[in-house]
Amino acid sequence: MSQLSIRRALPDDDEELARLDRATWSSLHAVTPQQQPPYRPFFGEHHLPDDCLVAEADRRILGYVLLGFPTPIEANAHVRQIQGLAVSEEARGRGVGRALIRAVTDEARRRGARRLTLRVLGHNTPARGLYESEGFAVEGVLPEEFLLAGEYVDDVLMGRRL
């Protein structure tokens, strides 16, 4: 893998990001069913290109992270939330996820956030380890919040101060 760079997504990235999203789908992290054709666009009313950072090398997108607000409430406007993170199979274990977490943390700060939160499935040990190593702590657990592939799975809220 040549030099990794992180940049804000562009509208033209939609198709490549949608393919990456479908290719990385797993019940380890997804609570929605696997997409079936016809596929929906990656960007929509909930996430715009400005809400997405992409990691790329050799002009190929290797991963993305989505940044949003946890609620539409003004009293909560100082908090941002990671609302999606994916890394291509071939790029895993090469620091892409960590680079995206660091970049989105900087971006949340730049946007005036005081806190950054995320939700992760309890059984997603690799992601939880990455988040903990980047300063996130478990702030709450919703036991058996999701029924995935016949198993009840906890929803874990993690957060950190910026």
Side-chain angles (χ1 to χ4, degrees):
M1 181 169 70
S2 64
Q3 185 67 26
L4 181 71
S5 65
I6 307 289
R7 64 170 173 80
R8 187 164 292 142
L10 303 169
D12 289 348
D13 294 328
D14 188 273
E15 189 175 322
E16 190 173 356
L17 285 166
R19 275 195 309 273
L20 175 63
D21 203 43
R22 291 191 302 270
T24 58
W25 184 93
S26 164
S27 61
L28 183 63
H29 62 82
V31 296
T32 56
Q34 190 168 17
Q35 286 188 52
Q36 301 298 321
Y39 298 121
R40 66 181 181 272
F42 184 81
F43 297 119
E45 67 180 73
H46 295 292
H47 291 104
L48 302 172
D50 259 5
D51 302 325
C52 183
L53 298 177
V54 298
E56 69 179 1
D58 299 322
R59 298 195 324 216
R60 284 191 54 236
I61 293 176
L62 302 176
Y64 71 83
V65 61
L66 293 169
L67 182 65
F69 290 97
T71 71
I73 301 168
E74 182 63 32
N76 188 234
H78 62 285
V79 180
R80 295 298 188 282
Q81 186 176 57
I82 294 173
Q83 297 181 333
L85 178 117
V87 174
S88 67
E89 188 68 39
E90 70 269 13
R92 290 185 186 162
R94 297 181 179 186
V96 174
R98 185 171 308 281
L100 285 166
I101 293 296
R102 289 179 179 174
V104 80
T105 299
D106 290 343
E107 181 65 13
R109 255 190 220 106
R110 191 187 70 70
R111 293 183 185 196
R114 292 176 44 103
R115 285 181 33 78
L116 183 60
T117 65
L118 59 90
R119 293 170 66 173
V120 61
L121 295 176
H123 65 228
N124 193 343
T125 306
R128 289 180 65 180
L130 171 62
Y131 300 139
E132 287 172 4
S133 74
E134 289 299 318
F136 289 84
V138 173
E139 297 181 339
V141 177
L142 299 172
E144 299 183 353
E145 185 71 3
F146 298 105
L147 178 61
L148 303 173
E151 300 288 326
Y152 289 100
V153 180
D154 296 347
D155 189 17
V156 179
L157 176 65
M158 299 182 80
R160 62 167 288 180
R161 294 180 63 90
L162 298 177

